[in-house]
Amino acid sequence: MIGLLADVVGRVSDQATTSTTTIPVPCSISSGGAKITSVCSDTNSLHISVAYRSILPVLVLVIGALALLAISAVLPKRSRPGLYALLTVAIGGLALIASVWQWSDIGNINAHVPAGAQAALNYRLAHQLTIGQQVFYDRFSVLFMALVSVATILGAMTTDSYLRREGLDGVEAYVLMLMAGTGAMLMAASAGLIMLFLGLEIMSISLYVMAAYHRRRTQSGEAGLKYFVLGAFSSAIFLYGVALVYGATGSTQFLEMANFLGANSLSHNGILLAGMALLIVGLGFKVAAVPFHFWTPDVYQGSPTPFAGYMAAVAKAAGFAGLLRVLDMGLSTQQANWRPAIWLMAVLTLLVGSVMAIAQRDLKRMLAYSSISQAGYVLVGLQAASSTGTAGALFYLFTYTFIIMGTFAIISIIQGRGEARNDLGAVRGLAKRRPLLAAVLLVFLLAQAGVPFTTGFLAKFYVIQAAVQSGQYVLAIIAMLSAAIAAFFYLRVALLMYGTEGEAVAGAPGVSGGAGVSGGAGAGDGSILAGLQPIPSLDGATATATLLDPPAVDEKVRLPVAVALGICAAFTIAAGLSSPMIDFARHATTLFNLK
């Protein structure tokens, strides 16, 4: 063994001696690691220059997660309630500040782009394709990093009171949240399929554990197991798609794939089409697009409520970031092949999500189908395959983050300890018990329904406008019809909050069932007003149209949750009246400038 090692060392020394023309000087690194010269920057070198500024928010979240673990190891167990939530908010705030700085820095880079198409492209690739050409440093990725940072801040603020109430307070939940955010950021910044898969797995593994985090609820464990099993299948499908696309194009990098497909005409493109289909399936699972949505209602229902809101916002945003990178950049020359598939997915997602939400009696399952329907509108923007459609999709995802996280935060308040009440009856009469809470929930419901003067209206308007501009009139009409259908179950919850027993009884035939608010039976329980007549095919022949009494005692709204709800409601209203966010979304579509 020693002789063999000596022989290997001798061969390496001889090769280095005879290769002085190739390696003239040793590797040198400038002060602060800003620039690496000589062999370190050579092609295929093991030493890769790291542009840390391109992944600054990612580093903030990773280092923050490690810092939380270190602090928890030093402090006594379960000491200082609220400390980890406060630190997570601070970490998310630093990541948001880093994202804002990145946005400005990229503006400075774009200001110095030289004239000429080829020179401009070379300049952008040199400054916006970093870390071994694996990471994109552009405003598209920065917008998603800001989105994840905001979701992390809101998630920490709304999670603290829930964990204390359920006796689950600890550092683990916040570390998982930060790591899930890290994976989502990497997906948005990925310059190739390998980096995209790496970010996908980092995010997914964290979300699996978050779904099963409530160890005292059987439903939570079931949700985590279902999410893990189906997520593992989707990851395997995605990875198989990566292999097929690599076999067809010879690369896993988006720009290299686009260049190869643009310069070559494939006589037999079966492998490419199969790989493209598998990539869409793998990412379609993450965004809960039909027919890959079956996990969503069960996982949302069983997961801890604040985590379900975080999952709905971050996982959906990261999945769509990956879809936009893959389809609008790597496979941009194959639009004739993937746009029909996205068209069909968008139609099914819009209709299935809207129709199935009507039949739900559980608030979390209703919001799960609602999130499926919302994903359909983002698919409409993606299917347009234009900068207008991409900007509309980005705007939709950013505004949806505030809406859905605020909605789940309110549900976590009214459901009570142990998530005892997630049914529609829990919100009945909420306007009398908690008028401010009901008013905020009404804002979120109206925004999801797309009512004017809310950000949800503008979000739907922009993606439908993109569909019309691309000539997809049928898809635009279906999207508008879906919004009309979805308005029913959103307004049903609003009527339950603000309706009275007398209104429910008026004009209603006798309906057999349980007790109403005042202990009476039948029609006085608000079921008729809410349109909750039993559906025999779904509820069984003996089903009744009754709602349980609202909770006797509501949980208190702690200050962090109140602040988070205020931020979400303020953004939902302000961005719906006059939104500068669409301008940021338009500026974030720089991926089209790199083609």
Side-chain angles (χ1 to χ4, degrees):
M1 177 64 72
I2 296 176
L4 178 62
L5 181 61
D7 182 63
V8 171
V9 172
R11 290 175 183 272
V12 172
S13 300
D14 294 340
Q15 184 177 4
T17 303
T18 58
S19 303
T20 54
T21 57
T22 305
I23 310 176
V25 292
C27 172
S28 61
I29 304 176
S30 62
S31 177
K35 185 178 180 181
I36 303 177
T37 58
S38 186
V39 68
C40 292
S41 59
D42 286 347
T43 304
N44 299 325
S45 171
L46 294 178
H47 302 82
I48 299 174
S49 176
V50 179
Y52 291 104
R53 65 180 181 178
S54 64
I55 55 171
L56 193 55
V58 177
L59 293 177
V60 170
L61 294 190
V62 172
I63 296 174
L66 296 177
L68 286 182
L69 289 175
I71 293 172
S72 66
V74 174
L75 294 178
K77 189 176 182 180
R78 310 301 181 193
S79 65
R80 296 178 176 85
L83 173 63
Y84 300 126
L86 179 62
L87 292 177
T88 305
V89 170
I91 293 168
L94 289 176
L96 181 59
I97 293 172
S99 301
V100 173
W101 178 84
Q102 284 184 322
W103 186 278
S104 176
D105 184 55
I106 293 173
N108 294 333
I109 293 175
N110 293 338
H112 296 86
V113 175
Q118 188 60 42
L121 178 61
N122 294 336
Y123 181 85
R124 289 184 181 277
L125 293 179
H127 290 81
Q128 296 185 349
L129 200 60
T130 64
I131 312 182
Q133 298 183 349
Q134 297 300 314
V135 173
F136 266 121
Y137 184 44
D138 58 4
R139 283 182 166 173
F140 178 88
S141 61
V142 170
L143 182 67
F144 278 97
M145 290 183 181
L147 184 154
V148 173
S149 302
V150 170
T152 302
I153 295 171
L154 297 175
M157 296 173 71
T158 57
T159 299
D160 178 51
S161 61
Y162 174 89
L163 295 180
R164 290 199 219 177
R165 184 188 72 193
E166 303 297 325
L168 301 172
D169 192 22
V171 71
E172 299 87 354
Y174 302 101
V175 173
L176 290 170
M177 190 178 296
L178 292 173
M179 295 309 300
T182 299
M185 288 183 177
L186 289 176
M187 288 182 67
S190 60
L193 294 172
I194 301 302
M195 180 61 71
L196 181 61
F197 178 75
L198 177 64
L200 177 67
E201 289 306 295
I202 293 174
M203 180 189 71
S204 297
I205 293 173
S206 301
L207 292 180
Y208 299 153
V209 182
M210 291 174 70
Y213 192 80
H214 201 315
R215 55 183 177 271
R216 298 186 184 89
R217 294 183 67 238
T218 305
Q219 297 92 330
S220 182
E222 292 177 355
L225 181 60
K226 291 176 182 177
Y227 198 15
F228 169 72
V229 173
L230 295 177
F233 275 110
S234 71
S235 297
I237 291 172
F238 178 85
L239 199 57
Y240 193 21
V242 172
L244 292 180
V245 170
Y246 175 77
T249 63
S251 177
T252 59
Q253 298 300 107
F254 297 141
L255 292 182
E256 293 179 5
M257 290 163 51
N259 292 335
F260 176 83
L261 294 174
N264 299 275
S265 178
L266 302 180
S267 57
H268 301 286
N269 62 348
I271 295 179
L272 176 64
L273 294 179
M276 185 191 313
L278 293 179
L279 291 180
I280 293 175
V281 170
L283 293 175
F285 175 89
K286 294 304 176 185
V287 303
V290 178
F292 318 111
H293 68 289
F294 293 102
W295 62 274
T296 312
D298 291 338
V299 172
Y300 279 32
Q301 184 181 23
S303 301
T305 305
F307 292 169
Y310 186 82
M311 186 188 308
V314 172
K316 197 176 297 294
F320 275 113
L323 274 174
L324 287 166
R325 287 289 193 194
V326 172
L327 299 180
D328 272 337
M329 180 175 286
L331 301 173
S332 59
T333 60
Q334 305 297 310
Q335 289 184 6
N337 294 320
W338 60 257
R339 286 186 69 188
I342 299 298
W343 189 96
L344 181 60
M345 284 176 57
V347 170
L348 293 176
T349 304
L350 287 167
L351 296 179
V352 171
S354 299
V355 173
M356 291 301 297
I358 296 176
Q360 304 306 313
R361 294 350 185 224
D362 186 279
L363 286 169
K364 292 171 71 174
R365 291 184 70 87
M366 186 196 77
L367 288 177
Y369 281 107
S370 170
S371 72
I372 293 172
S373 176
Q374 304 296 338
Y377 292 99
V378 185
L379 287 173
V380 171
L382 172 62
Q383 199 276 340
S386 63
S387 58
T388 302
T390 303
L394 297 183
F395 178 80
Y396 205 110
L397 291 170
F398 202 94
T399 57
Y400 182 69
T401 298
F402 291 87
I403 297 171
I404 196 63
M405 296 196 71
T407 305
F408 273 102
I410 293 178
I411 292 179
S412 69
I413 295 171
I414 64 178
Q415 65 188 178
R417 185 182 297 274
E419 298 194 17
R421 297 294 305 279
N422 290 321
D423 59 285
L424 288 172
V427 301
R428 190 176 53 183
L430 183 62
K432 293 182 178 180
R433 307 192 310 270
R434 294 289 184 83
L436 289 179
L437 201 62
V440 174
L441 180 56
L442 180 63
V443 170
F444 297 145
L445 293 173
L446 294 179
Q448 292 181 74
V451 174
F453 305 111
T454 65
T455 185
F457 171 77
L458 287 182
K460 288 179 171 60
F461 173 80
Y462 290 133
V463 294
I464 293 175
Q465 179 189 43
V468 172
Q469 290 178 354
S470 62
Q472 300 296 322
Y473 303 109
V474 175
L475 183 58
I477 293 173
I478 293 175
M480 290 186 283
L481 290 176
S482 176
I485 297 173
F488 172 80
F489 57 83
Y490 294 127
L491 295 179
R492 177 175 66 186
V493 177
L495 288 174
L496 284 172
M497 290 192 301
Y498 286 91
T500 64
E501 184 179 359
E503 290 173 340
V505 175
V511 181
S512 61
V517 177
S518 58
D525 67 352
S527 303
I528 299 298
L529 179 65
L532 287 176
Q533 293 86 344
I535 304 174
S537 60
L538 295 176
D539 303 323
T542 60
T544 59
T546 60
L547 294 176
L548 297 175
D549 292 333
V553 179
D554 287 331
E555 293 291 328
K556 294 182 178 180
V557 181
R558 297 181 182 271
L559 180 61
V561 180
V563 173
L565 291 176
I567 294 173
C568 293
F571 181 88
T572 301
I573 296 174
L577 297 176
S578 176
S579 177
M581 269 306 304
I582 188 61
D583 295 327
F584 287 104
R586 292 191 180 108
H587 287 304
T589 57
T590 54
L591 71 165
F592 293 96
N593 297 328
L594 290 174
K595 291 181 181 179

